[in-house]
Amino acid sequence: MKKNNFIYVGLLIMILLAGCAVRKSASNSVPTLVGKKWQLVELNGSVVPATVNGKMPYLELDEESGRYGASGGCNGVGGEYSLKKNNGISFSRGMSTMMACEDMSIENGLRTLFDEADTYKVMEDTMILSKGRDGDALAKFTLVVDQSDKLTGTWELDYIMEPETDFNTLYATRKPTITFDLAKNKVNGNSSCNNFSGTVSIDGHAISFGPLMSTKMACPGNGEQVFFKNIERVTSFDVQDSTLTMIMDDIVVMRWQKK
């Protein structure tokens, strides 16, 4: 009888360990996908701007609730999702807000995506949703990494998008500077002539500047005009070492060096 009890206990331990191993294996695959914010960068083969209607298009999958949240730059879209074997995934639509925005194309494309996508793939910082394991990519996302802390401090401009005039001619006597105060979501600096200040909004790699107020000195040349025109165009940024790059969609419009 005791021998049978030992056998029973041994089998029970083996079953529990096997169960733990299965759960561990599943949980190891999930963190590559869920609990993160993914920025939509391509939809049906077309590049998606960093901001649409002033907002970053994104997708988030919550592991605990089994729900997803997304935006195409207008309304919040959400519902339930399910992960399946062999990188299968399915989405069901839930409630969403009903605002009308100037550009609804990305939002409408996302709704179609959630109806069609049934397979996902994660490669480092890129996630791809497709229809079928061998199907073409319906959408590509990049992992949103918070770089806002790297912006803190003062930067000096060393490139600006202006095909008509050489950079050194535009800023022969003084280069523009910008200083970020992220605790207050504010910026200040000098446009090469007048001082300016205002607000800044950051969401992942997306960035936009609020109304920038400046002093009113008369300035020679058109360097200041070119500066304010380009900083209004900026939709995203990237920081590598001591270089800050400001981008409009996929075009570099300004580059700065840390002072």
Side-chain angles (χ1 to χ4, degrees):
M1 186 69 179
K2 287 184 178 180
K3 183 177 180 181
N4 289 339
N5 286 340
F6 281 124
I7 293 174
Y8 173 76
V9 171
L11 288 172
L12 181 60
I13 291 172
M14 291 176 63
I15 292 170
L16 289 173
L17 288 174
C20 290
V22 169
R23 284 195 292 273
K24 184 176 181 181
S25 175
S27 65
N28 280 345
S29 64
V30 169
T32 63
L33 179 69
V34 304
K36 300 176 181 179
K37 191 168 189 176
W38 298 91
Q39 179 178 353
L40 179 65
V41 295
E42 186 178 305
L43 187 62
N44 297 321
S46 298
V47 174
V48 175
T51 59
V52 179
N53 303 311
K55 301 177 182 178
M56 180 182 71
Y58 71 89
L59 169 65
E60 289 182 297
L61 305 174
D62 184 76
E63 184 176 7
E64 269 190 41
S65 66
R67 298 186 64 82
Y68 70 92
S71 172
C74 185
N75 291 286
V77 179
E80 295 183 345
Y81 75 92
S82 177
L83 299 180
K84 304 175 182 180
K85 292 181 179 178
N86 300 319
N87 285 30
I89 191 169
S90 63
F91 299 90
S92 62
R93 289 199 204 176
M95 301 292 290
S96 69
T97 54
M98 300 295 290
M99 293 188 299
C101 299
E102 182 178 350
D103 185 352
M104 301 287 288
S105 59
I106 303 302
E107 179 172 316
N108 292 335
L110 271 182
R111 294 180 188 276
T112 302
L113 169 70
F114 295 138
D115 288 338
E116 297 182 353
D118 59 15
T119 305
Y120 74 90
K121 182 189 299 183
V122 178
M123 300 175 294
E124 295 183 353
D125 293 340
T126 301
M127 176 176 68
I128 297 174
L129 295 180
S130 58
K131 185 174 179 63
R133 291 181 59 82
D134 300 320
D136 293 334
L138 298 176
K140 291 183 181 180
F141 300 80
T142 59
L143 182 65
V144 176
V145 180
D146 185 11
Q147 286 193 318
S148 59
D149 60 326
K150 297 182 180 181
L151 287 172
T152 300
T154 300
W155 303 80
E156 183 177 75
L157 191 70
D158 75 349
Y159 167 81
I160 194 164
M161 186 174 67
E162 176 51 43
E164 302 297 327
T165 311
D166 177 70
F167 179 84
N168 291 324
T169 302
L170 280 173
Y171 306 113
T173 59
R174 185 175 187 179
K175 295 179 182 179
T177 58
I178 189 169
T179 300
F180 290 84
D181 182 354
L182 297 180
K184 299 179 180 178
N185 293 322
K186 292 185 180 296
V187 293
N188 65 78
N190 185 278
S191 64
S192 75
C193 179
N194 284 287
N195 294 325
F196 68 87
S197 63
T199 59
V200 61
S201 177
I202 300 169
D203 185 2
H205 287 278
I207 187 171
S208 61
F209 296 91
L212 297 178
M213 299 176 291
S214 70
T215 53
K216 300 296 183 183
M217 289 193 303
C219 305
N222 64 338
E224 180 172 81
Q225 180 184 355
V226 171
F227 174 82
F228 283 120
K229 177 179 69 176
N230 277 284
I231 203 166
E232 289 177 358
R233 291 171 166 169
V234 172
T235 57
S236 63
F237 75 96
D238 182 63
V239 179
Q240 297 295 332
D241 298 326
S242 60
T243 300
L244 164 61
T245 304
M246 293 185 178
I247 305 160
M248 175 185 65
D249 299 334
D250 59 349
I251 301 170
V252 174
V253 293
M254 307 176 90
R255 188 179 62 230
W256 309 75
Q257 298 300 323
K258 192 72 172 282
K259 290 194 71 176

